[in-house]
C-alpha cells in the first residue's frame, strides 16, 4: 500500500524547462514556463535564476496568481569559502533575490556553493578540495548568511550540495553539516546531485533528518553517470549527455526517499528539477506531465 505523503508539497522549477540562466536564447520564454508548469499540474514553483521571471513583485504576483501558482523558494550562488572579502558583493546579490522571495510569500532561500569548474566551458576555476582555512570561511560564512537572511527577510537558508562544487560528496556534506549550526543552516537535499556524487539520499535523511529542510527531486542515469565519472566529464557536458533523466528511469528510487522524508514528521517541499540545459522547447511539458503523474503514484 502506498504511504500517503501528506507532509510533502510537490512543485517544479525553471530547471525542468531547461532554464539555467536569467536570459539565454536557448531557453523557453518565462511566460511559456509558467503556462506549462501550471498545465502539468504543479502548484508550487521556484524563482529559478534571478531575472528569468519578472523581478517586479507586483507583476510577478499577478502572473503567478492568474495561473494559480505559488513560490516555494528563491536561489542564489555564493563563493563564501573565499572569505570575508566577498561578503559585501554576496550580500548585494542575496538581498535582491531574498527581497523578491519574501515578497512572493516564500520561506526558503536555496544556496548553491560556487562551481570549481565552469558549467559551460568546463574550465577549471579552483582546486576541487578546500583547504582547512577555506572550510572555516565556508561554514562561518554560511552561518552568517543564515543569520542575516533570517533577521532581514525572515527566510531560512537551505544549502544545496551540487556537482562540481565544494559541497558534493557524502564526506563533504557530512563535514559541512557537522561544522554548522542547525539553527542557522540546513540542507536542500538534491537527490540527483547527491547520487551523481556517490551519496545515498535515504541514508542521509535517516542520519541527519533534523537538518533536511527542503528537497529537490531528480534522478541520474547510472550508465551515463558511470561514463561521466570514468572520464571526469564536467557537469554541464554531462547534462547535455542526459545524465539527469526522467523518473522513474534512474537512481535513486524516489518513493523510498519521499517515504523517509515523510517520516521526519515535518512539512517539506519536494521540488522536481530535471537538468536539461539546453533542450528543445517542446521537450519539457510532456516530461513534466509524466513526472507529476509518477509522483502521484508514489503518494505525493
Amino acid at each position: 500500500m502506498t504511504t500517503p505523503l501528506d507532509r510533502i508539497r510537490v512543485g517544479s522549477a525553471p530547471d525542468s524547462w531547461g532554464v539555467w540562466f536569467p536570459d539565454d536564447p536557448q531557453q523557453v520564454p518565462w511566460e511559456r514556463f509558467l503556462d506549462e508548469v501550471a498545465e502539468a499540474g504543479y502548484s508550487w514553483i521556484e524563482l529559478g535564476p534571478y531575472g528569468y521571471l519578472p523581478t517586479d513583485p507586483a507583476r510577478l504576483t499577478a502572473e503567478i496568481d492568474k495561473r494559480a501558482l505559488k513560490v516555494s523558494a528563491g536561489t542564489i550562488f555564493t563563493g563564501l569559502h573565499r572569505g570575508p572579502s566577498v561578503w559585501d558583493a554576496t550580500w548585494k546579490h542575496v538581498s535582491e533575490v531574498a527581497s523578491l522571495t519574501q515578497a512572493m510569500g516564500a520561506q526558503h532561500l536555496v544556496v548553491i556553493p560556487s562551481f570549481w569548474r565552469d558549467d559551460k566551458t568546463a574550465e577549471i576555476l579552483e582546486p576541487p578540495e578546500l583547504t582547512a582555512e577555506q572550510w572555516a570561511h565556508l561554514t562561518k560564512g554560511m552561518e552568517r548568511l543564515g543569520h542575516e537572511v533570517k533577521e532581514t527577510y525572515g527566510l531560512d537558508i537551505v544549502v544545496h550540495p551540487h556537482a562540481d562544487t565544494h559541497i558534493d560528496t557524502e564526506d563533504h556534506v557530512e563535514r559541512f553539516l557537522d561544522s554548522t549550526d542547525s539553527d542557522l543552516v540546513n540542507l536542500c537535499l538534491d537527490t540527483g546531485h547527491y547520487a551523481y556524487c556517490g551519496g545515498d539520499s535515504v541514508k542521509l535523511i535517516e542520519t541527519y533528518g533534523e537538518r533536511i529542510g527542503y528537497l529537490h527531486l531528480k534522478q541520474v542515469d547510472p550508465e551515463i553517470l558511470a561514463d561521466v565519472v570514468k572520464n571526469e566529464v564536467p557537469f554541464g557536458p554531462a547534462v547535455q549527455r542526459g545524465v539527469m533523466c526522467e523518473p522513474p528511469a534512474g537512481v535513486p528510487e524516489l518513493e523510498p526517499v519521499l517515504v523517509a522524508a515523510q517520516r521526519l514528521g515535518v512539512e517539506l517541499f519536494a521540488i522536481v528539477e530535471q537538468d536539461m540545459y539546453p533542450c528543445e522547447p517542446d521537450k519539457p511539458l510532456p516530461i513534466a506531465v509524466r513526472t507529476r503523474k509518477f509522483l502521484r503514484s508514489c503518494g505525493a
Side-chain angles (χ1 to χ4, degrees), residues 107-279:
Q107 298 293 314
H108 296 90
L109 197 61
V110 177
V111 182
I112 301 176
S114 56
F115 288 75
W116 55 261
R117 177 163 55 185
D118 189 280
D119 59 345
K120 257 192 165 179
T121 67
E123 177 191 358
I124 302 290
L125 306 172
E126 298 180 75
E129 290 288 338
L130 296 177
T131 64
E133 182 183 35
Q134 288 173 321
W135 266 109
H137 286 323
L138 175 63
T139 54
K140 294 304 166 198
M142 285 295 190
E143 287 181 333
R144 181 182 180 187
L145 188 66
H147 177 266
E148 296 293 336
V149 166
K150 189 71 170 178
E151 287 291 307
T152 310
Y153 298 102
L155 306 176
D156 294 320
I157 71 165
V158 281
V159 177
H160 180 324
H162 195 293
D164 288 0
T165 76
H166 295 109
I167 306 177
D168 50 2
T169 63
E170 192 172 283
D171 286 347
H172 286 168
V173 170
E174 291 183 357
R175 180 174 180 175
F176 178 76
L177 290 174
D178 291 343
S179 305
T180 49
D181 184 342
S182 61
D183 288 337
L184 300 172
V185 179
N186 283 306
L187 209 67
C188 167
L189 170 58
D190 184 302
T191 60
H193 280 279
Y194 202 49
Y196 185 105
C197 299
D200 180 330
S201 289
V202 171
K203 178 185 168 190
L204 187 68
I205 292 169
E206 291 176 346
T207 309
Y208 286 90
E210 75 285 355
R211 303 298 300 276
I212 307 299
Y214 199 91
L215 296 172
H216 278 172
L217 301 180
K218 64 165 70 91
Q219 290 188 322
V220 292
D221 181 312
E223 288 186 12
I224 296 175
L225 179 63
D227 185 64
V228 162
V229 171
K230 178 183 174 185
N231 293 298
E232 299 182 1
V233 178
F235 181 66
V239 166
Q240 291 177 30
R241 293 186 185 192
V243 71
M244 298 298 182
C245 62
E246 178 182 343
V251 296
E253 281 187 73
L254 292 181
E255 187 167 359
V257 172
L258 292 167
V259 169
Q262 169 76 16
R263 288 196 190 113
L264 296 177
V266 295
E267 299 281 326
L268 277 176
F269 282 106
I271 304 298
V272 176
E273 276 200 333
Q274 185 183 340
D275 291 295
M276 292 196 290
Y277 176 85
C279 69

Side-chain angles (χ1 to χ4, degrees), residues 14-15 19-23 27 47-53 55 75 77 97:
D15 197 25
V19 175
W20 276 11
F21 303 100
D23 185 37
Q27 298 175 171
L47 295 176
Y50 182 75
Y52 174 66
L53 294 177
T55 56
T75 303
F77 286 85
V97 181

